[in-house]
Amino acid sequence: MKPLTTGAFARRCPVLVLGLSALLFSFTSHAQVNPPATIQAEAYSHMNGIQLENTSDTGGGQNVGWIDANDWLSYSNSPVNIATAGAYDIEYRIASPSGGGNITFEEAGGSPAYGSINLPATGGWQTWQTVSQRINLTAGVHRFGIKVNAGGFNLNWFRVVPVQTQSWTPLPRVKQNGHLWVNAATNQRVDLRGTNLGNWLIQEFWMMGGIISHSGGAVNDQCTLESVMAQRFGNAEKERLMKVFRSNYITARDFDMMKAMGMNVVRIPFLYSLIEDEYNPYNLRSDAWQYLDWAINEAEKRGMYTILDLHGTVGGQAANGEQHDGCVGPAQLWTNASYWDRTKWLWDMIAQKYRGRSAVVAYDLLNEPWGTDATTLANRSYELFNVVRAKDPDTIILLPGHNSGIDAYGNPNSRGLTNVSTWMHFYPGLWGWNDTASYGAGQANMYANWLHCNANGTGESCDWRNKIYGLQTPFLVGEFQPWTLLGSYGGQMTRKAYDIYNSYGWAATNWAWKTTSATGSNGDTSGWNWGMVTNSSNGGGMGGLNVSNASATQIENWFKQFSTQPLVRNESIATWMNWKPEVGKRIEAEMFKDHNGIRMETTSDTGGGFNAGSTDDNDWMSYPINVPATGNYTLQVRVASPYSGGILVLSRNGADLGTITVPNTGGWQNWQTLSTTVYLNAGQQDLSIFVRKGGWNINWFQLNPL
């Protein structure tokens, strides 16, 4: 028989090698501790297959080493009292020259197990890094254990840390129910309408008016900006300056303004290097979660969900020439195996971090991944789905749309997947998509056509509605832009787009929250740019920045201006996003909540805007209205028709409340105001305009108490 080596003997007889102090440690029961609780790795009660050694980590002492697959550690002598059930972070102090380790955190004895974590390379056996996983713990006394699934690392300690106590009520989790997003507890549908924080955690310089330059010309992508600053000042100073930008471009006032403009979800685009240390792949940055955590908290405080959007992968996923994934150039993600593996690792880290965080409504795996074909995208997306789902069983995962659509996925439900959604970015009027329509009214009518079905229930967005209904999978319009070319029609069309998308059961996030420019805006909404808000021309103008000759202080001050510069919002969007039908005020007929067979168009009636039309027999449109008191009301309607004999009915739950005969007014845009008396019960209710006999347009109606 081969004699035992010292190492082999130590592995089989650890107590004889570790010495008296370790022997006493293993048989001493400690008093229970409360989180945050740090347990030294060498303080186990029982173990299999490990050794101890002196550590050079901060604080000194010993660490556990010689860790192989199927080794384990039990800490039944170190009870931890969990006073409050909920989410906890388990932090591990590890060192590994090559990575590849994997452990499962569990109760001593093996059940229940709380999930596994992959351990990264740290650069050496005594090069230490803290990694964490989020788990949910029940109240009571726990005695923990660690099972080793793959070795090759040292462990100095682990720590049980309660997730920061929130001073606000957590948002309820959202899940999939057929084609709908619903509250997981009540199963009630959740209508998500929000915006994108573009140009913050991944920069797109057109969103700042293209006024940053360098010696080679305009700065067109983030890679160029970071490269110039790194060459001039070094990587450490470049990183510091980027943090200055991130800490100032979006602040708490942005979240206040988002909420005030009717948003309840925020899509957060980010670059991979916000989380992964680009100089040390497969390692988290020391500040990896700083900005995402802050944004999620700020949104949730205000009752808004968040969607985490990997907008730029290592190597890039977008088509050649695109800059929105961080770097102009080929989409190397699809051809570089290392880049793909790092992207999987990144999503593994994100899923571990935000598992259990209900405010994160969805993970958006890849933004506009058009540097490959649709079939490859579908296969790779399913691969990423499995990575995320292995660590996070609940959060909705978004399968990215190709510029050719989503058909390559087939039906995700047929794969047995749950809490899965698809997305597309809809930009009618732009980039070849009916972009010949004239500015203003032409664009408005084009957009209205996009949002409404043809008479046979098909066409435009309705084809997508029918597709998604067939798949019985939720849907996100991850980006859309309903105001920038519509002039004075933009605010109302923005609200209408959200209403239509939500009526389909879709979530929707516009692009984008904020843009800035050299001159700013005086608040005139008839020629508004791409942001819901922008810098004010009254004290918020911006001078150019040349990063090739500006000092680090000048760059820092230029970045800092974003937190204090005066902002103006598009008041038309703000007004319409907060508009609701009310008794005693004009109710715009085209702003129905639900409908059958109705379309909208621009009107030449006094006041402009839109009217509802294409009324055929038995069409209808409904409006949620709070009636303040029971009694008689005058119903006024503003109608136009080239025919006589139309019949308009105000109804509730299918019962007639009042009928108006629509005469020949002389044309589709020749308007008359007609009236009748109706009796209404008090309370919140859906009132409908029912088309008993069609062939007329309606601009508005009003209910006035008698």
Side-chain angles (χ1 to χ4, degrees):
M1 183 175 70
K2 184 176 180 179
L4 287 175
T5 63
T6 302
F9 180 78
R11 193 171 289 275
R12 296 192 181 190
C13 306
V15 171
L16 297 179
V17 175
L18 298 181
L20 181 61
S21 62
L23 177 63
L24 293 175
F25 223 160
S26 67
F27 288 102
T28 301
S29 180
H30 301 168
Q32 66 186 34
V33 294
N34 298 315
T38 301
I39 298 175
Q40 297 297 324
E42 66 271 21
Y44 51 79
S45 59
H46 303 85
M47 66 84 185
N48 179 68
I50 59 89
Q51 295 187 50
L52 303 186
E53 63 181 347
N54 294 330
T55 183
S56 61
D57 194 15
T58 303
Q62 293 183 306
N63 65 255
V64 169
W66 288 271
I67 302 173
D68 299 314
N70 300 316
D71 289 349
W72 53 264
L73 298 142
S74 175
Y75 296 90
S76 58
N77 61 342
S78 300
V80 179
N81 180 44
I82 302 299
T84 303
Y88 288 78
D89 286 331
I90 310 302
E91 299 177 347
Y92 306 92
R93 188 67 169 172
I94 60 104
S96 176
S98 57
N102 181 279
I103 57 178
T104 297
F105 194 73
E106 59 189 15
E107 293 290 331
S111 180
Y114 296 108
S116 301
I117 180 173
N118 292 320
L119 304 179
T122 65
W125 291 110
Q126 290 295 319
T127 303
W128 294 91
Q129 179 178 323
T130 303
V131 298
S132 68
Q133 69 179 132
R134 181 160 295 179
I135 66 173
N136 289 307
L137 294 173
T138 58
V141 176
H142 292 254
R143 292 173 169 82
F144 296 117
I146 294 174
K147 181 179 71 172
V148 180
N149 305 308
F153 63 94
N154 289 340
L155 177 66
N156 193 9
W157 48 257
F158 68 92
R159 180 182 295 142
V160 182
V161 182
V163 174
Q164 182 179 5
T165 302
Q166 298 176 174
S167 58
W168 58 90
T169 302
L171 289 168
R173 177 165 295 283
V174 173
K175 69 172 185 178
Q176 171 192 4
N177 184 356
H179 71 282
L180 298 175
W181 307 69
V182 301
N183 182 311
T186 66
N187 227 31
Q188 293 180 320
R189 65 184 293 167
V190 177
D191 290 333
L192 295 170
R193 50 181 67 193
T195 188
N196 278 269
L197 290 184
N199 195 47
W200 178 38
L201 302 179
I202 180 169
Q203 291 174 301
E204 299 185 45
F205 293 95
W206 67 270
M207 299 181 72
M208 290 187 285
I211 59 176
I212 298 183
S213 62
H214 67 121
S215 58
V219 172
N220 291 321
D221 63 10
Q222 187 164 335
C223 286
T224 300
L225 175 70
E226 293 198 25
S227 176
V228 172
M229 292 196 301
Q231 290 171 12
R232 293 191 62 208
F233 308 122
N235 286 332
E237 180 66 358
K238 180 264 289 186
E239 290 290 341
R240 187 188 73 82
L241 290 171
M242 290 303 299
K243 286 177 70 70
V244 171
F245 174 82
R246 291 165 181 155
S247 297
N248 286 274
Y249 186 73
I250 294 294
T251 65
R253 71 168 172 170
D254 291 283
F255 285 91
D256 286 337
M257 295 177 75
M258 281 179 241
K259 182 64 176 179
M261 292 184 79
M263 304 293 98
N264 67 0
V265 63
V266 185
R267 184 172 179 252
I268 307 176
F270 63 91
L271 185 63
Y272 82 96
S273 56
L274 181 80
I275 296 171
E276 183 187 25
D277 184 347
E278 62 182 303
Y279 313 109
N280 191 14
Y282 297 102
N283 284 276
L284 296 172
R285 290 171 57 106
S286 60
D287 62 350
W289 311 113
Q290 175 183 346
Y291 295 103
L292 291 182
D293 277 351
W294 176 82
I296 294 165
N297 289 341
E298 291 300 310
E300 189 176 30
K301 288 176 187 176
R302 296 162 176 84
M304 298 187 292
Y305 289 96
T306 46
I307 296 171
L308 303 186
D309 159 39
L310 181 54
H311 215 74
T313 69
V314 58
Q317 78 282 355
N320 189 25
E322 299 283 0
Q323 47 74 41
H324 54 72
D325 61 359
C327 302
V328 174
Q332 300 178 63
L333 175 70
W334 311 107
T335 56
N336 186 307
S338 175
Y339 290 167
W340 180 248
D341 192 61
R342 286 168 63 184
T343 301
K344 292 196 294 183
W345 172 87
L346 185 70
W347 272 115
D348 186 282
M349 295 296 104
I350 295 169
Q352 291 185 50
K353 170 65 177 176
Y354 293 113
R355 170 179 175 165
R357 187 68 191 271
S358 60
V360 179
V361 71
Y363 300 130
D364 195 344
L365 298 177
L366 296 169
N367 177 71
E368 297 189 356
W370 300 337
T372 188
D373 62 273
T375 300
T376 300
L377 171 61
N379 292 335
R380 294 286 189 92
S381 297
Y382 277 131
E383 189 176 345
L384 285 178
F385 180 97
N386 291 332
V387 169
V388 173
R389 190 55 83 224
K391 298 300 171 60
D392 185 337
D394 299 316
T395 303
I396 291 174
I397 300 174
L398 292 157
L399 300 175
H402 195 264
N403 55 14
S404 63
I406 60 173
D407 290 346
Y409 288 108
N411 188 336
N413 289 311
S414 67
R415 293 173 173 251
L417 305 182
T418 58
N419 287 332
V420 58
S421 172
T422 55
W423 66 247
M424 287 295 293
H425 296 170
F426 294 143
Y427 283 109
L430 297 164
W431 302 301
W433 191 345
N434 294 331
D435 60 0
T436 58
S438 59
Y439 183 90
Q443 285 282 329
N445 284 310
M446 177 278 303
Y447 217 104
N449 289 337
W450 155 252
L451 290 174
H452 295 86
C453 303
N454 297 324
N456 62 0
T458 63
E460 306 288 359
S461 69
C462 302
D463 290 341
W464 279 95
R465 178 201 61 182
N466 297 338
K467 180 191 294 287
I468 300 304
Y469 282 2
L471 292 175
Q472 284 295 291
T473 299
F475 192 65
L476 166 72
V477 185
E479 296 179 18
F480 65 107
Q481 174 46 262
W483 66 79
T484 188
L485 297 179
L486 277 68
S488 61
Y489 300 98
Q492 190 175 359
M493 189 59 76
T494 298
R495 168 61 183 272
K496 195 63 188 175
Y498 281 113
D499 284 351
I500 292 294
Y501 292 153
N502 286 167
S503 75
Y504 294 166
W506 301 352
T509 51
N510 74 61
W511 191 277
W513 169 243
K514 177 163 67 176
T515 57
T516 58
S517 63
T519 58
S521 170
N522 64 4
D524 181 3
T525 61
S526 64
W528 199 263
N529 208 323
W530 275 64
M532 297 183 80
V533 302
T534 190
N535 54 320
S536 172
S537 58
N538 184 16
M542 300 165 57
L545 175 69
N546 188 322
V547 291
S548 290
N549 53 41
S551 68
T553 300
Q554 289 172 322
I555 295 172
E556 178 177 356
N557 290 335
W558 199 89
F559 287 167
K560 284 182 176 179
Q561 72 182 311
F562 291 106
S563 64
T564 57
Q565 67 181 176
L567 299 176
V568 291
R569 67 181 187 176
N570 187 313
E571 290 296 338
S572 179
I573 297 176
T575 296
W576 280 105
M577 288 304 299
N578 290 288
W579 178 88
K580 61 181 180 181
E582 296 181 71
V583 168
K585 296 182 180 180
R586 286 186 179 179
I587 298 169
E588 296 296 329
E590 68 277 5
M591 299 306 288
F592 43 77
K593 181 177 183 290
D594 293 301
H595 78 106
N596 179 68
I598 305 297
R599 297 175 69 87
M600 62 186 288
E601 62 185 351
T602 57
T603 183
S604 60
D605 194 15
T606 303
F610 298 90
N611 64 254
S614 298
T615 56
D616 297 313
D617 297 357
N618 300 316
D619 287 347
W620 54 267
M621 39 201 141
S622 68
Y623 309 83
I625 301 175
N626 182 48
V627 177
T630 298
N632 288 317
Y633 290 78
T634 297
L635 168 66
Q636 292 179 302
V637 295
R638 185 71 167 170
V639 293
S641 176
Y643 311 113
S644 60
I647 300 176
L648 177 156
V649 178
L650 182 71
S651 67
R652 182 182 61 239
N653 297 329
D656 292 2
L657 301 175
T659 300
I660 291 177
T661 299
V662 180
N664 183 335
T665 65
W668 291 111
Q669 291 295 320
N670 293 333
W671 296 92
Q672 289 185 18
T673 303
L674 308 174
S675 64
T676 190
T677 299
V678 297
Y679 183 83
L680 301 177
N681 292 319
Q684 183 67 41
Q685 54 202 281
D686 284 345
L687 296 181
S688 296
I689 299 292
F690 178 71
V691 183
R692 182 152 291 153
K693 184 65 177 178
W696 41 269
N697 290 340
I698 178 170
N699 191 8
W700 52 261
F701 68 97
Q702 187 165 333
L703 292 163
N704 296 316
L706 290 176

